[in-house]
Each structure stands twice: as structure tokens, then as C-alpha cells.
């Protein structure tokens, strides 16, 4: 495993050891990849200013503190407004969220075979029904829509990262490797992140009860001292979704500085022309990413998520930018 990095990029910490931040030094790096999914291309240099980022995803414990202090009600706890979803069946306009439900078998690639909208599923009841947070306070919070993550960040005096900021932090100082820890997914057969083991979505080889989220810090940090940047849960960024990255700058003088992604209108899902819900970029992959299905357990990987959508495998972390 190549984990060396120079003095400028050695981990620094700020905080109380529970909700601490790690420093990411500003620099130019190559964002994206030409070797995997088309939306990751083209690889292109960008310049990003230094910032602090939370060492872990926001946990249920920290989100609970936020809710107690503010009375915030998440989107998954509210009944949808029928005006936002023309054509929706009335019986579906109830509070709830998407929960991964492993099927015994699958036919084709329809994700409805393993994603179920469960009424009553939310951050307090991550699997719906009578599930609760017992034993999960140090797991990443899930079932948070973009607005919920943004509200928490504002309460905490921070912000959500841009895609470029997030990717720089996830790389851990290793710009030329496939993964955040080197060039092998499981070096020496050792899992470096909470990703799917087995054949997705029907067969997990993990022990019973270990096939969903895990407590933060269950795996080694990256070279910057940040945990769970890869796997466990996808993480919201503030950038609107774009189907591809921009072309690399023709000259070094024109490298984008602190890029902020594409436009809102371009992020709409073309497959749902009557529902104009912006999509944001998710990063990092989750415990459901597998070699046979979703190889997005890499810093360059990205995924589109509608702002109003919450699921059992999406969370977030915050950053604090340095005032200039």
C-alpha cells in the first residue's frame, strides 16, 4: 500500500476528537478518470483552495443533536406534495424512504427488484418498520435528502463540499492510484472500506448483521486522516449533476479554480421530463458497491441523485472553507 505523502499534506486535526476536522492543503490535481464509467471523463486538472473536512461522515449521534437543537424534520418524514409529482398515485404520497431489500433472485437490471419505498423509513428507522438506532449511533446517518444535509451544515457553521473538494480529500494524496489506498481493491485480501462482498444483490459473504452500514472509523483512514471517504455511504456534494466533466484546459494558465459543477437545468433527469427535480453529485460509493455491479468505490467515481431522494445508503459530511 502506497501511503506516503509530503510534509505539506500530512494530516492535521482541529476539534475535540469526536467531531474533528482534517486539513486538506490546496493544490492542483487531476480530477476524474478516463478508464471507467463515461461520466467520470475526461480526466482534467483543477485547482482547489485548502479547506477543513470532517474526518468522518455525519453520524446518527451528531444528527440527533442537530434535530434536538433545531426541531428539524427531514424530507423522508414529510408527506410529498402532489404538485411536485404529477401523475403519482395518491396512495404513494406518504412519508417514507428507499430501503435496500436484498432479493432472493433477480431477472434483468431493474433496480426495483432490490430497492423498496418503505412508508415510515427515515433516519430514526433506517430499515422502516420497528427498526431503530440502537447500536447505530456511531453509524453514518442515512435517509437524508440534500436539503437535510444542507440544513445540518448551516447549523454546524459549515457547508457541503463541492465535487472537486470532495474528490481531492478522498484521494488522500495518492493522485495516480486506482483507489484511495493504492492500486488493489483488497490488498492481501484485506478489505479497505465497507463495500459489498459476494455477488450483488443476492448474496453477501459478510457475517449476519454486518452487510449494511458500519460504525465510522471501522476501517483505516486515508493519507489525509479522513475515514470512510470510500464505501459505507454515498455522500452528497453541492454540485449539480453533469453527464461528463469539462474538457481539460488547453493551457496551464486556464486551469479551473475551485470549480462549482454544471447548471441546474442541465441536471434534470431527461427520463422524467414532467418532474423538474435537480440532481446533485454523490461521491464515494457505499456498502452496496460491488465488482459485479457498481465499481464506484473510487475517488473519481460519481453518481446522480435527485435532491428530494433519500435512501438507506446515502449520507454526507461537511467542510469548513478558509476565509480569504
Amino acid at each position: 500500500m502506497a501511503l506516503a505523502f509530503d510534509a505539506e499534506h500530512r494530516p492535521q486535526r482541529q476539534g475535540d476528537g469526536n467531531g474533528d476536522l482534517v486539513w486538506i492543503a490546496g493544490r492542483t490535481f487531476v480530477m476524474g478518470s478516463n478508464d471507467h464509467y463515461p461520466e467520470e471523463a475526461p480526466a482534467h486538472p483543477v485547482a482547489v483552495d485548502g479547506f477543513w473536512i470532517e474526518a468522518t461522515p455525519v453520524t446518527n449521534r451528531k444528527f440527533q443533536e442537530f434535530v434536538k437543537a433545531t426541531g428539524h424534520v427531514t424530507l423522508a418524514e414529510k408527506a410529498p406534495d402532489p404538485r411536485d409529482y404529477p401523475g403519482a398515485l395518491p396512495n404513494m404520497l406518504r412519508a417514507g424512504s428507499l430501503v435496500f431489500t436484498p432479493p432472493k433472485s433477480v431477472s434483468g437490471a431493474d433496480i426495483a427488484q432490490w430497492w423498496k419505498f418503505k412508508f415510515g423509513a427515515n433516519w430514526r428507522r433506517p430499515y422502516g418498520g420497528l427498526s431503530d438506532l440502537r447500536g447505530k449511533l456511531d453509524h453514518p446517518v442515512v435517509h437524508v435528502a440534500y436539503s437535510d444535509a444542507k440544513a445540518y451544515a448551516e447549523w454546524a457553521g459549515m457547508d457541503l463540499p463541492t465535487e472537486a473538494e470532495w474528490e481531492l480529500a478522498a484521494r488522500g494524496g495518492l493522485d495516480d492510484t486506482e483507489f484511495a489506498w493504492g492500486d488493489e481493491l483488497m490488498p492481501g485480501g484485506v478489505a479497505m472500506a465497507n463495500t459489498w462482498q459476494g455477488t450483488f444483490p443476492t448474496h453477501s459473504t459478510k457475517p449476519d448483521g454486518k452487510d449494511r452500514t458500519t460504525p465510522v472509523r471501522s476501517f483505516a483512514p486515508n493519507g489525509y486522516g479522513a475515514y470512510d471517504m470510500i464505501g459505507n455511504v454515498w455522500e452528497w456534494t453541492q454540485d449539480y449533476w453533469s453527464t461528463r466533466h469539462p474538457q481539460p484546459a488547453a493551457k496551464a494558465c486556464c486551469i479551473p479554480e475551485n470549480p462549482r459543477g454544471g447548471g441546474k437545468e442541465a441536471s434534470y433527469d431527461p427520463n422524467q421530463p414532467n418532474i423538474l427535480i435537480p440532481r446533485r453529485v454523490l461521491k464515494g460509493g457505499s456498502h452496496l458497491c460491488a465488482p459485479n455491479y457498481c465499481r464506484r468505490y473510487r475517488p473519481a467515481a460519481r453518481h446522480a441523485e435527485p435532491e428530494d431522494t433519500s435512501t438507506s445508503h446515502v449520507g454526507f459530511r461537511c467542510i469548513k472553507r478558509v476565509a480569504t
Side-chain angles (χ1 to χ4, degrees), residues 123-185:
W123 74 275
R124 304 173 194 271
R125 300 190 179 279
Y127 312 139
L130 298 178
S131 62
D132 55 35
L133 297 180
R134 282 178 291 185
K136 297 180 178 64
L137 286 178
D138 293 317
H139 288 229
V141 66
V142 292
H143 297 299
V144 283
Y146 179 80
S147 60
D148 303 317
K150 188 70 173 176
Y152 176 97
E154 291 175 354
W155 170 78
M158 295 191 280
D159 200 355
L160 297 178
T162 65
E163 181 179 2
E165 289 167 336
W166 193 99
E167 187 169 327
L168 173 60
R171 290 181 178 275
L174 302 180
D175 291 350
D176 300 321
T177 59
E178 187 86 352
F179 304 103
W181 48 82
D183 287 315
E184 296 180 63
L185 175 60

Side-chain angles (χ1 to χ4, degrees), residues 50-61:
F51 58 93
W52 296 96
I53 191 167
E54 289 189 291
T56 72
V58 173
T59 61
N60 286 312
R61 187 185 305 277

Side-chain angles (χ1 to χ4, degrees), residues 206-249:
K206 293 180 181 178
D208 289 344
K210 303 294 184 181
D211 53 355
R212 293 186 184 262
T213 59
T214 51
V216 299
R217 295 186 172 89
S218 292
F219 295 85
N222 71 9
Y224 291 146
Y227 295 80
D228 287 339
M229 296 295 297
I230 300 299
N232 215 0
V233 293
W234 284 99
E235 298 183 14
W236 287 106
T237 74
Q238 66 174 245
D239 284 4
Y240 288 115
W241 172 256
S242 57
T243 56
R244 288 179 65 83
H245 285 309
Q247 290 296 321

Side-chain angles (χ1 to χ4, degrees), residues 261-307:
K264 178 179 178 180
E265 289 74 18
S267 76
Y268 296 148
D269 188 346
N271 296 317
Q272 295 182 303
N274 295 325
I275 300 178
L276 302 180
I277 303 295
R279 294 182 294 172
R280 304 275 179 166
V281 177
L282 297 182
K283 296 288 281 185
S286 79
H287 58 280
L288 302 182
C289 286
N292 73 299
Y293 179 68
C294 174
R295 300 183 299 278
R296 290 184 170 88
Y297 30 60
R298 296 169 290 101
R302 55 204 302 266
H303 184 64
E305 187 82 343
E307 286 184 352

